[in-house]
């Protein structure tokens, strides 16, 4: 971005950033089966590439959960070990892995381990009942389910319904629309339990799975295409049973680039004396990780609680640079309150 005394307008900033030579240059792609798509020329093309790029941040903190802290490199190594464990279970390109737990650091590790081996992460609703969990695991064709001990205890009552699953053909394999769906041999559902204080026997435990591959520092070899399916995320099922929505790697990486572009446009509109290197950002994650947009009602409540907290002084909120919400209307009075506090 050239040196300037005055800020760029929003349209001019967007044109410069997405045009020739811009950090977010756009071009047109026409993949088979799709119409023309506007795509980013820069940035990671798959979530596997995103994970690999994260190594560059090394010892910078990536996740903080209560008293636990995980750096980018520690996260990468944990992902590599779990990816090796998944590969040893026969999980690879196009296989489905269910993830259902609280917002533990293990959620992110399990998610990216799926992306590392080309598997599809099925993000199951952690608030589902036992019957709903059994439905999601069966409907999506999970061969592995990564659960915290609470979700495992909930699933126990219906586990007898899932003695084995028939693994559908990979969503990522080419198939014409009139070709009947083919199936592989049935395989047992493998369960991996996270943070189990009781160390229940007969199932795999997270600590043991990573310990089996403690010397692993690199991801298993895998070929992942931007149009491969990366996730299955279920709808709420308000008018029927929940439906699994498919998202490609390109869907996710485009969303990431969109977010980065929005920040770059905002900075480009600042005068020179305010447009310097931004501070290292930190996000308070209030959304349940299984949901694409999070529960806006809960999020809005948390924002209101933060703003109305006795300790929420201008000094305490000085490092808050943005508040985002989506999925439901934000009350007008809260919008006004946010504007008044951060103007």
């Amino acid at each position: 971005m050239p040196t300037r005394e005055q800020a760029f307008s929003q349209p001019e900033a967007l044109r410069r950033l997405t045009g020739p030579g811009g950090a977010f240059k756009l071009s047109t792609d026409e993949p088979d089966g799709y119409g023309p798509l506007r795509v980013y020329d820069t940035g990671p093309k798959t979530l596997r590439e995103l994970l690999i790029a994260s190594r560059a941040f090394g010892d910078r903190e990536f996740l903080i959960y209560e008293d636990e802290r995980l750096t980018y490199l520690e996260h990468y190594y944990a992902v590599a070990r779990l990816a090796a464990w998944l590969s040893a279970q026969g999980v690879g390109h196009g296989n489905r892995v269910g993830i259902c737990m609280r917002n533990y650091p293990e959620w992110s590790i399990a998610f990216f381990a799926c992306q590392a081996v080309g598997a599809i992460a099925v993000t199951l609703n952690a608030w589902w009942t036992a019957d709903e969990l059994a439905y999601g695991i069966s409907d999506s064709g999970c061969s592995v389910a990564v659960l915290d001990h609470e979700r495992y205890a909930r699933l126990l009552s219906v586990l007898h319904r899932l003695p084995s699953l028939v693994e559908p053909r990979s969503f990522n394999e080419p198939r014409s629309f009139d070709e009947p769906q083919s199936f592989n041999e049935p395989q047992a559902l493998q369960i991996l339990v996270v943070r189990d204080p009781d160390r229940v026997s007969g199932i795999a435990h997270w600590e043991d799975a990573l310990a089996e591959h403690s010397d692993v520092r690199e991801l298993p070899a895998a070929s992942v295409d931007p149009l491969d399916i990366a996730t299955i995320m279920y709808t709420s099922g308000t008018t029927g049973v929940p439906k699994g929505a498919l998202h490609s790697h390109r869907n996710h990486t485009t969303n990431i680039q969109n977010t980065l572009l929005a920040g770059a446009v905002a900075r480009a509109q600042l005068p020179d004396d305010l447009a310097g290197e931004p501070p290292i950002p930190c996000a308070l994650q209030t959304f349940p990780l299984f949901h694409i947009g999070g529960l806006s009602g809960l999020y809005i409540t948390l924002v209101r609680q933060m703003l109305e907290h006795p300790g929420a002084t201008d000094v305490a909120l000085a490092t808050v640079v943005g508040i985002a919400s989506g999925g439901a209307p934000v009350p007008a009075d809260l919008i006004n309150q946010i504007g008044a506090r951060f103007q």
Side-chain angles (χ1 to χ4, degrees):
M1 196 65 65
T3 303
R4 66 197 188 285
E5 294 183 0
Q6 301 297 322
F8 290 126
S9 67
Q10 193 269 354
E12 176 64 10
L14 192 60
R15 185 187 68 79
R16 288 172 178 266
L17 287 164
T18 60
F24 297 87
K25 181 178 179 297
L26 289 169
S27 62
T28 301
D29 187 24
E30 298 190 34
D32 292 341
Y34 297 86
L37 299 174
R38 295 280 278 168
V39 298
Y40 289 102
D41 286 352
T42 59
K45 302 300 186 291
T46 68
L47 292 174
R48 178 184 164 98
E49 290 181 17
L50 176 69
L51 172 67
I52 293 172
S54 73
R55 293 189 63 171
F57 293 98
D59 292 330
R60 185 181 296 180
E61 287 183 339
F62 173 57
L63 285 174
I64 299 175
Y65 175 77
E66 296 184 347
D67 294 331
E68 302 173 28
R69 293 171 181 265
L70 199 66
T71 68
Y72 280 89
L73 195 56
E74 289 169 337
H75 177 264
Y76 180 89
Y77 287 157
V79 170
R81 291 166 190 153
L82 185 62
W85 182 86
L86 288 173
S87 296
Q89 312 313 306
V91 174
H93 191 267
N95 295 126
R96 268 76 82 198
V97 176
I99 305 173
C100 193
M101 67 180 84
R102 290 175 178 265
N103 280 13
Y104 289 134
E106 289 88 345
W107 202 105
S108 176
I109 295 168
F111 178 84
F112 278 103
C114 294
Q115 311 311 323
V117 299
I120 301 171
V122 183
T123 62
L124 300 166
N125 189 325
W127 298 337
W128 270 351
T129 65
D131 288 336
E132 289 169 327
L133 279 176
Y135 164 78
I137 291 171
S138 179
D139 177 69
S140 60
C142 292
S143 55
V144 173
V146 185
L147 314 171
D148 62 14
H149 72 283
E150 294 170 285
R151 258 40 64 174
Y152 175 68
R154 187 180 304 168
L155 190 64
L156 271 178
S157 63
V158 296
L159 201 56
H160 62 280
R161 301 183 196 170
L162 301 170
S164 63
L165 298 172
V166 176
E167 177 70 10
R169 183 176 183 171
S170 169
F171 289 120
N172 294 328
E173 291 184 27
R175 178 168 64 90
S176 64
F177 290 108
D178 56 357
E179 179 185 346
Q181 183 75 62
S182 64
F183 294 92
N184 298 325
E185 292 298 316
Q187 65 181 91
L189 173 67
Q190 173 73 300
I191 294 178
L192 180 64
V193 178
V194 172
R195 301 189 184 232
D196 179 16
D198 301 323
R199 295 288 297 180
V200 176
S201 61
I203 56 173
H205 292 273
W206 181 270
E207 298 83 359
D208 299 336
L210 268 62
E212 290 175 16
H213 304 277
S214 59
D215 59 338
V216 172
R217 294 290 187 276
E218 299 296 336
L219 303 181
S223 177
V224 182
D225 187 84
L227 295 181
D228 284 349
I229 301 301
T231 58
I232 298 176
M233 309 185 84
Y234 276 87
T235 64
S236 62
T238 303
T239 58
V241 296
K243 311 297 191 300
L246 308 181
H247 301 83
S248 69
H249 284 263
R250 177 173 280 173
N251 289 149
H252 288 286
T253 57
T254 298
N255 189 42
I256 293 168
Q257 289 292 91
N258 287 345
T259 302
L260 294 174
L261 174 60
V265 169
R267 289 193 297 275
Q269 294 177 76
L270 296 173
D272 273 343
D273 58 343
L274 296 178
E277 188 68 23
I280 296 175
C282 177
L284 174 64
Q285 177 57 272
T286 63
F287 304 133
L289 293 170
F290 62 77
H291 194 287
I292 192 69
L295 298 180
S296 295
L298 175 61
Y299 178 69
I300 291 169
T301 299
L302 289 171
V303 171
R304 191 183 298 278
Q305 288 174 342
M306 179 184 74
L307 294 179
E308 295 177 355
H309 191 279
T313 63
D314 290 343
V315 173
L317 298 176
T319 57
V320 177
V321 297
I323 295 176
S325 184
V330 180
D333 70 302
L334 182 57
I335 294 175
N336 295 334
Q337 191 175 357
I338 294 171
R341 291 302 299 270
F342 295 99
Q343 64 181 354

